[in-house]
Amino acid sequence: MRDAVPTRIRTTLARGVSGFIAVGLLWGSPARAQETGADTPAARSATAQEAPLLDAASPVGERFRSSGRLVGGGGTTCTATLVHAPGKPDPRRKALILSNGHCVSDTMKTNEVTVDQPAGGDWTFTPAYFHDNASEHKTFPVEHVVYATMKDIDVSVLRISATYGELAKLNVTPRTLATAPPAPGTALHAVHAPTDGVEEGKRFLRLSTCRVTGSPVALHEYTWLWKGFARTDCLGISGGSSGGPVTAAGGDQLIAMLNTVATPGYLGCGLGRPCEGGAAGLTEPKDDTVYATPVDAVASCLENADLRLNRPGCRLDRGEQVDVASSGQHTRSETPQGPARWDAHVTPADARRHAYVAFKTGPFGATDCTRPEGYSTPRRLPRSGLDHTGLLPKEDNLYVLCAVGGPDATAHGKGWAASFAHPSSAYARVDNTPPSVAPKLDVRRFDHESGPVHWVRPVYAPWELTSYKIKYGPKAATDCADPQGYRPYVGVPTTLKVSEGPWTYCAIGYDNADNPTLPAAFTLS
């Protein structure tokens, strides 16, 4: 017997997201729908049903001529919309488009803010991207990333090569943005150009008619912590829909943008499976629940054809707070090293403005980092930074660590006022609960030159089973309840000669906090 992999079969995900491509965030790419071995439907569409294609000449189509296909680096696809502050655009000014932050980069860190950077040379935007007006499609280069972040919200503002005047000649005029987030119960029109699970010739703007089912929502996905989001019952949403404009049904102003979806078949909370946070813990959404990021903070900073972060009343984060680096650990409350602790490292963005740092912690979704109440006495913050290793709570939940830098030890002086506007944060998940599913195997039988063999590998179930320990041997001599002999499964399937059976294959599944399942025994004859 030996461990081997048939050349035509690829291996599965290891711990976390290594080797694994989830659906989740709604950008699309040629590699998006590739999945290898996890017991999930990521290889097929994330949608329960297709949203209907929009006709260019329909009343709704006329309203959404400002929206279209955004193509980013490596061919990733999103949806974007031409925008402008209230008032008539200067036809000579190059135009702004609005989309999600992860359409610029889905590897943005928890506290990362990008300001005033050149765009990739292959980025483009095609407005009025309908299925029945292909002869009118005109594609423009994206020249500049004016702003992008996934801190608290998920937005990007990009500048394209075309002017507002050039676009107006194509009957493409900008949308304005709402100054308040959508309220629960609001009837919505969500327009988007999905690619994942959609035939090649049908990847154009579509309309989802739906409602806000919850707002404001604190949302956690992978490394990101968002607040003020809207939960919706929009259907037909899949990769490529990211940044899709959301308006009140029949309304003209953008009130939000499509952001992420709860991928059918996934379990727990993780990439492709956002969860809502609160004092009682994380809430897992129903399959196909779609979330949207509000745009009112962007509206507060728009001035004519510019995004001005220093504009009075602008509520976008400038990226000027302390930096917090953390593993985003998933842990049991008791570890081999003792009680679980925070593992955050904080460094100043500006040594003069951030000579001190203060912290507070609490359940994600129930802890407002912008409120000064509850912060610790400020500690001196060296230029090299400091570690925060305080104890984590023992109860299961997702916890947020809020960190603000300031100029002195008071935490209440004038110099601290701006610090609380955009605190930095880290998170840690305390999880003492065993996985909710039992181990499963993928077993196949192949003919080999030495005789038939079983080809065996354990099946992952993101995000409840993300690693395994295994052992195997002759059925009469192998006891799965005996802890001796188990070893980590490293992604290499096992081949067992049928002639040497029957075999017992033992598997213990683990979640990201290393909570184990009971040992599972499988007989292979």
Side-chain angles (χ1 to χ4, degrees):
M1 59 187 176
R2 61 188 179 90
D3 289 347
V5 186
T7 56
R8 66 180 182 279
I9 300 174
R10 298 193 300 162
T11 56
T12 65
L13 86 158
R15 175 170 304 279
V17 296
S18 176
F20 178 67
I21 300 175
V23 178
L25 299 177
L26 293 168
W27 53 263
S29 76
R32 270 301 279 195
Q34 301 303 312
E35 171 52 38
T36 57
D39 189 17
T40 74
R44 58 183 185 268
S45 171
T47 72
Q49 61 187 54
E50 285 191 353
L53 286 162
L54 264 178
D55 295 334
S58 69
V60 177
E62 289 286 345
R63 287 175 47 227
F64 284 94
R65 288 185 63 84
S66 56
S67 299
R69 166 67 69 228
L70 174 64
V71 178
T76 59
T77 56
C78 285
T79 306
T81 300
L82 183 72
V83 295
H84 190 273
K88 187 176 180 179
D90 182 339
R92 300 166 297 178
R93 295 295 305 275
K94 290 188 175 180
L96 297 178
I97 60 174
L98 181 69
S99 192
N100 283 158
H102 70 260
C103 294
V104 171
S105 171
D106 72 309
T107 61
M108 279 190 176
K109 295 180 289 187
T110 309
N111 299 293
E112 186 174 350
V113 177
T114 297
V115 178
D116 193 24
Q117 295 292 323
D122 56 349
W123 292 19
T124 62
F125 173 63
T126 307
Y129 196 66
F130 301 103
H131 71 104
D132 57 350
N133 70 337
S135 63
E136 299 178 25
H137 291 175
K138 188 170 179 58
T139 297
F140 302 96
V142 176
E143 295 184 338
H144 220 72
V145 179
V146 178
Y147 184 87
T149 191
M150 295 179 74
K151 179 181 179 182
D152 292 338
I153 57 176
D154 185 7
V155 301
S156 64
V157 178
L158 311 172
R159 194 176 298 281
I160 64 175
S161 64
T163 66
Y164 286 103
E166 290 169 336
L167 292 165
K169 292 178 181 178
L170 302 175
N171 194 25
V172 174
T173 55
R175 287 294 185 94
T176 59
L177 308 183
T179 57
T186 301
L188 302 174
H189 281 167
V191 170
H192 49 102
T195 56
D196 287 5
V198 179
E199 294 179 29
E200 182 72 32
K202 297 181 179 180
R203 297 174 179 178
F204 300 100
L205 290 175
R206 294 172 179 267
L207 173 67
S208 295
T209 302
C210 40
R211 288 185 176 274
V212 176
T213 59
S215 178
V217 170
L219 200 64
H220 168 59
E221 182 173 2
Y222 192 36
T223 66
W224 305 295
L225 305 170
W226 298 311
K227 61 184 182 181
F229 271 40
R231 183 198 321 118
T232 79
D233 58 5
C234 302
L235 293 176
I237 312 295
S238 72
S241 299
S242 279
V246 180
T247 71
D252 288 324
Q253 287 191 321
L254 264 63
I255 58 176
M257 291 182 294
L258 298 173
N259 161 259
T260 192
V261 63
T263 308
Y266 286 15
L267 305 170
C269 307
L271 185 62
R273 193 72 180 184
C275 283
E276 300 178 21
L282 289 173
T283 301
E284 298 179 23
K286 297 179 181 178
D287 286 355
D288 288 312
T289 297
V290 169
Y291 293 91
T293 184
V295 299
D296 53 293
V298 181
S300 72
C301 307
L302 274 180
E303 189 172 288
N304 299 322
D306 291 311
L307 189 78
R308 299 193 182 279
L309 298 180
N310 59 355
R311 184 174 187 259
C314 174
R315 293 185 282 111
L316 286 177
D317 191 332
R318 301 183 190 180
E320 297 176 345
Q321 252 303 321
V322 295
D323 183 61
V324 182
S326 174
S327 68
Q329 61 182 321
H330 288 219
T331 180
R332 289 180 286 182
S333 57
E334 293 293 332
T335 76
Q337 293 75 39
R341 294 178 174 272
W342 287 100
D343 66 349
H345 183 75
V346 184
T347 51
D350 183 305
R352 290 179 301 172
R353 289 188 293 113
H354 301 153
Y356 288 80
V357 64
F359 300 97
K360 78 173 176 181
T361 65
F364 172 67
T367 303
D368 186 351
C369 292
T370 66
R371 296 184 63 86
E373 296 84 6
Y375 273 90
S376 65
T377 301
R379 298 167 56 186
R380 173 71 72 172
L381 181 58
R383 289 177 181 267
S384 59
L386 61 80
D387 294 326
H388 181 80
T389 57
L391 288 171
L392 283 165
K394 294 184 178 297
E395 295 77 18
D396 284 18
N397 208 337
L398 182 75
Y399 295 95
V400 63
L401 172 68
C402 313
V404 294
D408 53 49
T410 66
H412 301 290
K414 182 178 179 181
W416 281 83
S419 298
F420 293 104
H422 299 290
S424 295
S425 60
Y427 72 90
R429 172 91 179 268
V430 175
D431 180 5
N432 298 295
T433 305
S436 61
V437 292
K440 293 174 62 178
L441 295 186
D442 178 12
V443 181
R444 309 181 193 186
R445 187 162 170 156
F446 295 99
D447 290 327
H448 190 267
E449 59 185 15
S450 61
V453 296
H454 297 296
W455 182 89
V456 189
R457 63 178 177 178
V459 176
Y460 298 98
W463 295 101
E464 284 294 289
L465 297 180
T466 57
S467 67
Y468 275 95
K469 288 184 178 178
I470 63 167
K471 68 177 181 179
Y472 46 85
K475 180 179 179 181
T478 304
D479 180 5
C480 293
D482 182 354
Q484 298 300 315
Y486 279 94
R487 59 180 174 81
Y489 176 69
V490 294
V492 180
T494 303
T495 56
L496 304 172
K497 291 184 178 181
V498 174
S499 61
E500 296 178 2
W503 299 91
T504 292
Y505 188 103
C506 308
I508 302 174
Y510 294 83
D511 60 21
N512 281 336
D514 282 330
N515 292 297
T517 66
L518 294 173
F522 303 89
T523 299
L524 305 175
S525 300

